[in-house]
Amino acid sequence: MTSITTRRLFGVLAHVDAGKTTVSERLLVRTGKLRRAGEVHHGNTALDHDDVERKHGITITAAATTITWREHTLSLIDTPGHIDFAIEVERSLRVLDGAVIVLDASRGVEPQTESVWRAAERHRVPRIVFINKLDAPGADVQACLNDLRERLGARPVLLQKVEADCLVDLVEQRELRFDADGTMHVTACTTLPTAARDRLIEAVAEHDSVLMQTWASGEEVSVAQLKAALRRACLSRAIVPVVCGAALKNRGIQPLLDAVVDCLPSPEDRPLPHGLKPDPSAPLCGFVFKTEVDVHSGALAWTRIFQGTVYPGDALVLRPEGKTERVQKVTELHGAKSTEVESAGPGSIAVLVGLKSAHTGNTVTASSLKVELEGVSAADPVVEMALTTRTSEEQAKLGEALRKACFEDPSLRVRYDSETGETVLCGVGELHLSIWLEKLEQREGLKVKTGAPVVAYRDTVKGEATVEYRHVRQSGGPGQFAVITLRVRPLSRGSGFSFVDETSGGVIPAPLIAAVKEGVKGALMRGAREGVQLVDVEAVLLDGQTHAKDSSAVAFEIAGSLALQEAAVKAGLVRLEPMANAVVHVPEASLGAVLGELASRRGSVSAMTVEGTQAVVRASLPLAKTFGLVTSLRSRSEGRADTALSVAGYEVQQQ
């Protein structure tokens, strides 16, 4: 079994089209996992293995593989770069020890770069940056570094100097040249990069006291000392090491692999909750971060092993449900292919076959270990699409297919519209829904009729209101009695829901207060008008009355629900609409047409800059107005406008 200290578990993250999957493919070739790299534009990559992914030329689901480099075992997860599939990034970051962020050298930090960076910060994941596409027109390493500092608040440390014919390794003071097939040739520097290396040492020493002491004393800093300091500073997230290359041309891949080994953490470098340790002999604790349904094997549970070792035949407890199920097989993934293994230990990604009840967010443990790890949160849906079928048989088949889809993708939701009799599929974007409909047709042979996509509106309250609600029912037998006084007021945008108990003197027992809270939560989901969900509301329980015989949890839940709706109407309702941010790269000659298109869709331009021959427009607009936007902007710019969209929360709908 691989030593813990020589394991690396990292993800490759980027904005769409930054070359992330191309980078991953070259990592596989350079480490001997593949004989020949696939190409995204040819639809033959090892990691984008799904037919729908290959058709669209983008990564849709996370893919995993394991490679070796310098006697280290590297487990790699390639993640999607499109905002509609951000759940794949979120749940992967939940289990990663480190990350490689890929930037397009001509674009720098893009919208989804910001999103994945913030997510990595939230999970406290150490990162290195690979500036890709050095061969692209407009490539500018310094501009990328400035973006990292100014837009992400990062402290990038460049480990190389980019020359016309080589990369200069500032750590080991050597020149790196690459053949077309990626073979790297190392030569001594013709001129030592003393000044650039000194700047590197100074930047690292600011965040490492050991190196600072050596540097301040005037001693020469050795390669080993500098590498050790770089590692310590990266693990503490004080700096972000940066390397460069052009993956499509096979340049810079070996130095990237070296940076993964030298700078990113092993499992023992990352603190674990609940006193867990990456000890292969301890009771097992793993985390199910992704689930799939396989035609032949059934439910597959992608599991990060944090502690202990899992073997085929082990009986594991699924938490929080507490159900015990037996592992049939343990497999290791390489894209679409899986290999059965004898066991999996700390720091590894294993697919456990046989856990029929497992779902994303489950903790799996040995029966002797009672530990539950934090789950995975998915963004609320903002786009909906009605689905209809021709026959009742197809409807039943659709229901089962959608159940499997939601099992695999926690950011999908399904609801039934009782008024229209339609099944409604809800997701985080138009592309998200259309991709899943393609998958349903591919997997199940289901071709459903779809309505036009619509966005999910929300309501909130305009002001503060207090109501006393009396729920009193008597029908001869046991009655229902619940009287509560409830106040509602608006919260700041994005706050969600807050319930506060301000009763005193025990006028309402604790179990009945809990029932009121459940009633309030249910009413928020149902809304106070047109079935539109209520958000950003605080509900305060002020007072109440009970009856010795007729008060029950059911009565107080009903009272909480109806009181909330009455108070919300009294406070005044405000309709909220989801907003989107758009970043458009367009030739200056087409700028006027692009601005006109955005204005016609109620877009508000926040910034315009010029990068080379391209204008970059940043704007916000209602999400409902983004349907068809990409196509329209391309048609107005002779096909040259490049648009990136991201969801930006809710704002008050303008009439």
Side-chain angles (χ1 to χ4, degrees), residues 263-593:
C263 297
L264 292 184
S266 73
E268 68 177 8
D269 294 319
R270 295 273 285 158
L272 296 176
H274 304 291
L276 297 173
K277 296 180 180 179
D279 178 358
S281 61
L284 181 82
C285 181
F287 183 78
V288 178
F289 68 98
K290 179 179 170 71
T291 49
E292 290 182 325
V293 179
D294 180 76
V295 176
H296 305 291
S297 302
L300 307 178
W302 292 39
T303 307
R304 158 70 192 265
I305 308 300
F306 286 106
Q307 175 179 287
T309 304
V310 62
Y311 299 90
D314 282 354
L316 302 182
V317 181
L318 304 177
R319 304 187 188 280
E321 294 84 0
K323 189 171 183 178
T324 299
E325 293 188 338
R326 195 169 296 277
V327 178
Q328 295 174 359
K329 292 192 295 186
V330 180
T331 66
E332 182 183 272
L333 285 172
H334 173 57
K337 301 175 182 177
S338 62
T339 304
E340 214 170 320
V341 294
E342 294 180 357
S343 63
S348 61
I349 296 294
V351 174
L352 306 184
V353 181
L355 305 182
K356 297 178 182 178
S357 303
H359 58 78
T360 298
N362 269 146
T363 303
V364 292
T365 72
S367 58
S368 60
L369 186 66
K370 293 179 173 56
V371 165
E372 184 182 334
L373 303 174
E374 181 184 351
V376 174
S377 58
D380 288 334
V382 292
V383 177
E384 300 180 346
M385 189 180 288
L387 312 179
T388 54
T389 56
R390 292 170 297 179
T391 65
S392 57
E393 290 79 9
E394 284 187 346
Q395 183 64 34
K397 191 176 180 181
L398 175 64
E400 177 59 20
L402 291 176
R403 185 194 65 77
K404 292 178 183 177
C406 293
F407 172 74
E408 294 189 11
D409 185 348
S411 61
L412 274 182
R413 305 281 196 283
V414 177
R415 66 178 179 84
Y416 179 74
D417 190 322
S418 57
E419 292 185 3
T420 63
E422 295 173 323
T423 299
V424 180
L425 183 63
C426 313
V428 296
E430 187 178 10
L431 180 63
H432 185 214
L433 297 183
S434 66
I435 288 292
W436 268 108
L437 291 175
E438 284 188 47
K439 286 188 175 186
L440 291 180
E441 183 175 0
Q442 178 199 75
R443 294 179 181 180
E444 312 289 344
L446 275 170
K447 191 167 181 63
V448 298
K449 184 178 179 181
T450 61
V454 296
V455 300
Y457 293 94
R458 298 286 184 262
D459 279 341
T460 191
V461 293
K462 188 184 300 184
E464 186 175 302
T466 302
V467 299
E468 180 187 71
Y469 191 85
R470 301 178 64 85
H471 178 69
V472 182
R473 298 288 185 273
Q474 194 68 46
S475 57
Q480 294 187 0
F481 184 96
V483 178
I484 62 171
T485 303
L486 193 73
R487 181 178 68 214
V488 299
R489 70 177 186 88
L491 294 176
S492 59
R493 200 69 64 240
S495 298
F497 159 63
S498 173
F499 181 83
V500 181
D501 173 26
E502 290 189 1
T503 60
S504 59
V507 293
I508 304 177
L512 300 185
I513 292 174
V516 173
K517 182 178 180 180
E518 288 304 307
V520 167
K521 288 168 66 176
L524 290 170
M525 293 300 297
R526 291 186 295 273
R529 63 173 175 179
E530 301 169 4
V532 175
Q533 184 179 336
L534 272 164
V535 296
D536 304 333
V537 175
E538 180 183 73
V540 182
L541 182 60
L542 301 171
D543 199 1
Q545 299 174 34
T546 62
H547 186 278
K549 292 183 178 180
D550 293 343
S551 290
S552 64
V554 171
F556 272 84
E557 184 173 341
I558 293 171
S561 175
L562 298 177
L564 185 284
Q565 291 180 319
E566 184 177 310
V569 172
K570 184 177 179 181
L573 295 169
V574 178
R575 182 60 47 91
L576 305 175
E577 63 179 346
M579 303 295 292
N581 288 330
V583 180
V584 186
H585 290 76
V586 62
E588 288 188 79
S590 302
L591 179 58

Side-chain angles (χ1 to χ4, degrees), residues 12-13 20 41 47 77 93 98 100 105 189 212-213 303 334 337 346 371-372 378 416 454 488 506 607 609 627 638 652:
V12 183
L13 289 70
K20 169 186 54 57
H41 52 278
L47 296 179
I77 297 180
L93 280 168
V100 174
C189 289
M212 176 60 79
Q213 188 173 359
T303 307
H334 173 57
K337 301 175 182 177
V371 165
E372 184 182 334
Y416 179 74
V454 296
V488 299
T609 56
F627 300 140
E638 299 178 343
V652 175

Side-chain angles (χ1 to χ4, degrees), residues 230-250:
L230 274 166
R231 181 172 181 80
R232 288 191 295 267
C234 181
L235 295 188
S236 66
R237 302 182 2 265
I239 65 165
V240 179
V242 179
V243 292
C244 307
L248 192 61
K249 300 293 180 63
N250 297 299

